[in-house]
Amino acid sequence: MASDTISTLNYCVAPLDGSLPYDIVNAEGKPTRNWTHEPRYMQIEDVRGKEELYKLDNAGFQYGREASKHTSFLNDDEIQREYYPESIDLIKRVTGATKIVIFDHTIRRRIPGELYDNPPRRQPVSSVHVDQTSAGAIGRVHRHFPQTEAPSLLRRRFQIINLWRPISHAAVDWPLALCDFRSVDFEKDLMPVALIYPNREGEIFEVKYNPNHQWKYMKAVTPEEYVLIKIFDSIQDGSVARLSPHTGFQDPNTPEGTPPRESIELRALVFYD
């Protein structure tokens, strides 16, 4: 039985003075920003049992089932040594890509009452977003590859894909919602936001409210299951989904006493021949 739900999702509101949106992120991870959020009630459909309908190239996300060999997720060096290689293999098999570089990962262990997404206490992200803009994605290639290699890589089809999975227990608390790209107005819904760090800059998309957005989740995703989330695709001719906005959300139907969500996401540069 499907467990569709209604929850508030936090959409962005552009700066009232018309200036370019920015987040200045200090060393503690707390942003200073010139834009705001607005909560909107949205229907979120449980796709368990019909998850095969949603693929990276039509919806911008894809569910799968494959347990990871690495299960502790307590030590960053062990994660990079053990979990990265098996995840590269998984993404290659699912997508058909020929070259994959994982450039970072984030572990989130929700602490009830914690308001800020601060390292090392990273919390589920509670705003509708996409991790990179097109400029940000191209910048990632230049950042992670030598300048002798980056230009040739940028001539190939490439993507940024996140691999997300729960750890320890099913993600009943604060599940992950994904917006079907086919319901997104690419030109109107996405707001580029400059991320200004002490030592670098990046750019992400925050997302404006659109009542046509079609939100999906899969109830109680287990550690033996995963989600691939498309962040960027260099094919932009309308033939494939370019991205999927996503957010964590508080499901009002979550039973009392449910363990707080724990999850890991990897971010990968994905290249095709």
Side-chain angles (χ1 to χ4, degrees), residues 204-220:
I204 68 168
F205 282 128
E206 291 287 333
V207 182
K208 300 175 185 177
Y209 171 69
N210 180 338
N212 296 320
H213 285 164
Q214 298 294 308
W215 284 98
K216 316 294 177 181
Y217 84 120
M218 194 163 76
K219 186 174 179 65

Side-chain angles (χ1 to χ4, degrees), residues 146-200:
Q147 290 310 301
T148 53
E149 191 177 359
S152 62
L153 289 172
L154 288 170
R155 287 193 290 271
R156 296 158 64 173
R157 183 190 186 186
F158 85 96
Q159 301 164 328
I160 293 180
I161 292 175
N162 289 4
L163 169 60
W164 182 96
R165 74 164 75 232
I167 54 180
S168 302
H169 50 265
V172 176
D173 172 76
W174 273 84
L176 178 69
L178 301 130
C179 189
D180 191 319
F181 178 76
R182 293 167 289 194
S183 68
V184 174
D185 186 326
F186 191 90
E187 300 302 325
K188 294 181 180 178
D189 294 349
L190 304 175
M191 182 180 83
V193 176
L195 297 182
I196 304 170
Y197 296 94
N199 59 342
R200 63 180 178 87

Side-chain angles (χ1 to χ4, degrees), residues 70 75-85 104-105:
H70 182 88
N75 179 281
D76 282 343
D77 290 336
E78 287 183 0
I79 290 169
Q80 292 175 21
R81 187 171 62 250
E82 298 175 6
Y83 186 55
Y84 278 26
D104 71 12
H105 70 270

Side-chain angles (χ1 to χ4, degrees), residues 21-22 37 42 52 63 72 75 105 130 188 224 241 243 251 255:
Y22 63 79
H37 283 118
M42 299 297 286
E52 287 299 316
Y63 295 95
S72 63
N75 179 281
H105 70 270
V130 182
K188 294 181 180 178
E224 293 74 40
L243 48 77
D251 183 355

Side-chain angles (χ1 to χ4, degrees), residues 14-227:
L16 297 178
D17 62 3
S19 58
L20 295 175
Y22 63 79
D23 279 2
I24 300 174
V25 185
N26 64 20
E28 288 74 42
K30 295 182 180 179
T32 299
R33 59 175 54 123
N34 65 341
W35 55 278
T36 58
H37 283 118
E38 59 172 352
R40 295 280 189 161
Y41 282 101
M42 299 297 286
Q43 177 91 14
I44 307 171
E45 180 186 3
D46 178 14
V47 299
R48 186 171 287 283
K50 51 188 174 183
E51 61 268 25
E52 287 299 316
L53 296 174
Y54 301 93
K55 302 294 186 183
L56 284 168
D57 278 350
N58 64 18
F61 58 89
Q62 185 166 331
Y63 295 95
R65 183 175 183 86
E66 182 169 306
S68 62
K69 298 180 181 68
H70 182 88
T71 57
S72 63
F73 299 105
L74 295 172
N75 179 281
D76 282 343
D77 290 336
E78 287 183 0
I79 290 169
Q80 292 175 21
R81 187 171 62 250
E82 298 175 6
Y83 186 55
Y84 278 26
E86 64 173 300
S87 298
I88 288 171
D89 179 66
L90 171 62
I91 297 170
K92 279 185 175 180
R93 283 187 280 110
V94 172
T95 65
T98 53
K99 182 182 181 68
I100 294 174
V101 172
I102 295 171
F103 59 86
D104 71 12
H105 70 270
T106 301
I107 292 174
R108 302 186 190 277
R109 291 185 167 95
R110 192 175 78 81
I111 302 171
E114 185 85 8
L115 297 178
Y116 294 105
D117 180 25
N118 294 342
R121 297 151 64 93
R122 299 299 296 270
Q123 301 299 292
V125 176
S126 60
S127 64
V128 181
H129 70 286
V130 182
D131 296 25
Q132 305 282 343
T133 62
S134 295
I138 292 168
R140 279 284 176 187
V141 176
H142 286 290
R143 184 176 170 197
H144 297 290
F145 290 94
Q147 290 310 301
T148 53
E149 191 177 359
S152 62
L153 289 172
L154 288 170
R155 287 193 290 271
R156 296 158 64 173
R157 183 190 186 186
F158 85 96
Q159 301 164 328
I160 293 180
I161 292 175
N162 289 4
L163 169 60
W164 182 96
R165 74 164 75 232
I167 54 180
S168 302
H169 50 265
V172 176
D173 172 76
W174 273 84
L176 178 69
L178 301 130
C179 189
D180 191 319
F181 178 76
R182 293 167 289 194
S183 68
V184 174
D185 186 326
F186 191 90
E187 300 302 325
K188 294 181 180 178
D189 294 349
L190 304 175
M191 182 180 83
V193 176
L195 297 182
I196 304 170
Y197 296 94
N199 59 342
R200 63 180 178 87
E201 290 191 19
E203 190 176 64
I204 68 168
F205 282 128
E206 291 287 333
V207 182
K208 300 175 185 177
Y209 171 69
N210 180 338
N212 296 320
H213 285 164
Q214 298 294 308
W215 284 98
K216 316 294 177 181
Y217 84 120
M218 194 163 76
K219 186 174 179 65
V221 178
T222 70
E224 293 74 40
E225 298 171 311
Y226 63 85
V227 190

